[in-house]
Amino acid sequence: MECEGSVKSALCVQTILSSAAHAALFYFLRPMVQIKLPDGSLREFPGPVTVAEVAASIGVGLAKAALGGKVNGQLVDASFSMASNADLAIVTAKDPEGLELIRHSTAHLLAYAVKNLFPEAQVTIGPVIDNGFYYDFSYSRPFTPEDLVAIEKRMTELAAKDEPVLRRVLPRDEAVAYFKSMGENYKAEIIGSIPADQEVSLYREGDFEDLCRGPHVPSTGKLKHFKLMKVAGAYWRGDSKNEMLQRVYGTAWASKEDLQLYLTRLEEAEKRDHRKLGRELDLFHIDEHAPGLVFWHPKGWTVWQTVEQYMRQVYRDSGYQEVKGPQILDKSLWEKTGHWDKYRDNMFTTESEKRDYALKPMNCPGHILIFKQGIKSYRDLPLRYGEFGQCHRNEPSGGLHGIMRVRGFTQDDGHIFCTENQILPECDTFTKVLKKVYADFGFTDILYKVSTRPAARIGSDELWDKAEKALMDSLRDSGCEFVISEGDGAFYGPKIEYTLKDAIGREWQCGTIQVDFNLSERLDAEYVAEDGSRQRPVILHRAIVGSMERFIGILVEQHAGALPTWLAPIQVSVLNITDAQSDYCREIAAKLQKSVSNQGLRVDLDLRNEKITYKIREHSLQKLPYILVAGDKEKAAGTVAVRARGNKDLGVMSIDAFIELIAADIASKA
């Protein structure tokens, strides 16, 4: 406003004062918004007020750290405006939701950098995944390792510009036209698949704008600790009939220390990779002639047998009767269970004499058919069946991973047929047994999750109440802290999931116990109750190690191939220094093979005409628990020089003393 002369100046001042008064009046007349913070305190603001403004009112530090907010439980941008009373939690990088915002926004930063360097590339989707994110691109040539280095460098440069991340909303058709005009046909296709009356949100940083529901961090400057990991192929929308895209994977963290810790953990995981160790230790291999199936070598099969025999003893000690069902079952059975309609694409099917069959993907129906043979009384319950049942599932080839994710696997499967009142004691006993088993295998850190009733379910609320309470009480009785996963139970009943945490902090969901009100009805299983009526048994589906293949893979990685003595495929190797000790070494090996409670030790005899240092090194690389060396002195004294794993020299001892030592080692399962 421009003012000249005394009269005009007076009028100008009056106008300015009047405008200020109106502005002040407008500010104070705005409806007040009451914001409730997590500590229960209340703050009032003339509404509407943004998350960022609330953070600024609390303190400069929080304003700087704020990445977004949770308004009435919903994660939103820091720019989100609240026009009415609301519960608000400010989200920073210290919160799990803050890390999600960082990773989501870093995926967009990746797309921004790719478009900056390769304008012809088309962007598709870029979600958050465990420990990071990925983004799929359509481009005329494969990205190279050098490209990834350049993209990451450009991401760092763009982040340093600290450009604001701005949100806007467009009608669907306008958004389709907008992305088509930019040549982003994949984005246009995604938007075109949603209802025409819906609006879509877009986020812009610099000259890059992307379709996204959000939320995002306030500016690119919040993204500082990231790294691109690899590039892989991925079909558009997961359909092999569509174009193969390039999927760039990355990781992002809240701090430099967290990023470095993750990268170090990855390096350690690579050293422990069961596929690599499986080759080096001659345990197993996967062959293109049988994708998703395992070829067990003698050493690997020894580990398998050791695990199986251990679990077989657990069966016996826990009152299970071991059974064995057929591999192939008629289509009609799978129709009754519902698998033929809902799971057929994941089943291997065959035909014979105009009848359709399927390889079993699980053992439950077979166990129910066994239960149905003969009349069962309430006095027979609980009835526990166990089976090392081989199952086959037609997993997508892209999802196969060593022996961790396969198409053919064996479960330590069990089913308990019981009454409603027996659910609690059975679950209680199962959890206690499971904890001991995991401890024996070297796992003491277990996470427990109870998945409760979903919206779509069968069975009365009273029955669900009883089952859920039984599962939770069983964990409390076993001294286990647990989390509740609301609504994640199966439609037929709630369950407990048992997750192992390994030596480098990774989590593996292995064991489970599931309450089933459904299959006994579908397959017409019943027992005679005390009053003479026919009742349906409750079925508890339970497994401890789960897939034997996967569990052995986890064991190999947990112990970095150096399996405890009781599990090691070869427990001790006997080495001679010269041919003069060959017969003595054979005598030692024979005695060891007959020792230790008559079960015998697993012994390797190495009488090769090689330098003893070479032989020791070779056996050490095989991660053997013990190496025994015999020279002329040991032969004359009837002793052996003992070396333990980790290049530990235990000195010279008698054969009996060594047998006592290794027997104690095996018994302790250390």
Side-chain angles (χ1 to χ4, degrees), residues 339-414:
H339 289 93
W340 195 262
D341 291 333
K342 297 180 181 178
Y343 201 71
R344 186 177 179 181
D345 289 345
N346 291 95
M347 298 169 71
F348 288 101
T349 59
T350 187
E351 183 269 337
S352 175
E353 297 180 340
K354 298 182 179 179
R355 291 180 65 180
D356 291 319
Y357 299 88
L359 282 170
K360 64 176 179 180
M362 62 273 300
N363 302 297
C364 334
H367 289 192
I368 296 172
L369 294 183
I370 295 172
F371 176 86
K372 288 176 62 178
Q373 294 302 299
I375 298 173
K376 299 296 187 295
S377 161
Y378 70 94
R379 294 188 181 90
D380 298 316
L381 306 183
L383 184 58
R384 308 178 189 95
Y385 288 153
E387 178 180 3
F388 294 95
Q390 190 172 15
C391 301
H392 289 82
R393 296 178 185 175
N394 190 13
E395 301 284 358
S397 59
L400 302 177
H401 177 70
I403 64 174
M404 298 286 207
R405 187 71 177 269
V406 290
R407 286 175 171 161
F409 57 94
T410 300
Q411 292 179 309
D412 68 315
D413 211 354

Side-chain angles (χ1 to χ4, degrees), residues 634-651:
E634 289 78 19
K635 178 182 177 182
T639 59
V640 285
V642 182
R643 303 178 70 89
R645 189 159 45 203
N647 201 29
K648 297 176 183 175
D649 187 349
L650 301 186

Side-chain angles (χ1 to χ4, degrees), residues 227 229 251 258-267:
K227 184 171 181 58
M229 307 302 295
T251 188
D258 287 345
L259 173 60
Q260 188 54 53
L261 187 65
Y262 174 70
L263 295 177
T264 300
R265 195 162 76 238
L266 280 185
E267 290 176 10

Side-chain angles (χ1 to χ4, degrees), residues 32-267:
M32 299 301 289
V33 173
Q34 197 173 70
I35 303 299
K36 184 178 180 180
L37 299 174
D39 63 0
S41 63
L42 298 173
R43 287 177 177 254
E44 285 194 337
F45 302 87
V49 62
T50 67
V51 172
E53 288 170 341
V54 175
S57 76
I58 297 172
V60 175
L62 184 59
K64 185 178 180 181
L67 299 178
K70 286 183 74 175
V71 176
N72 298 328
Q74 182 180 355
L75 190 62
V76 298
D77 297 305
S79 61
F80 182 84
S81 184
M82 296 165 285
S84 58
N85 296 349
D87 292 342
L88 170 65
I90 306 297
V91 173
T92 71
K94 295 179 180 179
D95 301 307
E97 297 90 349
L99 190 54
E100 182 181 337
L101 285 174
I102 288 170
R103 288 173 176 163
H104 187 186
S105 300
T106 308
H108 281 246
L109 183 66
L110 164 61
Y112 184 7
V114 168
K115 289 294 291 183
N116 200 268
L117 290 171
F118 310 100
E120 301 85 8
Q122 291 191 61
V123 295
T124 63
I125 58 170
V128 172
I129 57 175
D130 287 346
N131 299 315
F133 58 89
Y134 70 77
Y135 213 112
D136 289 348
F137 301 95
S138 173
Y139 191 51
S140 57
R141 65 167 178 80
F143 289 134
T144 65
E146 292 75 21
D147 289 333
L148 288 193
V149 172
I151 294 167
E152 186 178 309
K153 181 181 177 184
R154 185 57 54 89
M155 289 171 68
T156 302
E157 294 167 353
L158 295 171
K161 294 169 76 172
D162 198 20
E163 295 176 314
V165 179
L166 305 173
R167 181 179 185 270
R168 67 172 175 141
V169 176
L170 291 178
R172 188 203 72 167
D173 291 344
E174 189 175 331
V176 169
Y178 172 68
F179 280 101
K180 280 186 176 179
S181 71
M182 295 193 298
E184 296 290 352
N185 298 321
Y186 292 91
K187 289 292 181 187
E189 182 180 330
I190 293 171
I191 301 169
S193 65
I194 67 176
D197 60 347
Q198 288 191 14
E199 294 183 323
V200 296
S201 58
L202 281 63
Y203 282 81
R204 174 179 290 277
E205 45 201 275
D207 59 2
F208 173 70
E209 192 166 30
D210 201 359
L211 166 72
C212 188
R213 282 196 298 259
H216 282 278
V217 297
S219 69
T220 60
K222 303 292 186 183
L223 311 174
K224 299 176 181 178
H225 312 292
F226 51 80
K227 184 171 181 58
L228 298 185
M229 307 302 295
K230 64 178 180 178
V231 62
Y235 291 111
W236 169 235
R237 295 197 156 177
D239 189 337
S240 59
K241 297 175 183 177
N242 292 335
E243 178 193 351
M244 176 70 78
L245 305 173
Q246 297 188 68
R247 177 167 294 176
V248 179
Y249 287 92
T251 188
W253 296 85
S255 69
K256 182 179 180 180
E257 293 74 21
D258 287 345
L259 173 60
Q260 188 54 53
L261 187 65
Y262 174 70
L263 295 177
T264 300
R265 195 162 76 238
L266 280 185
E267 290 176 10

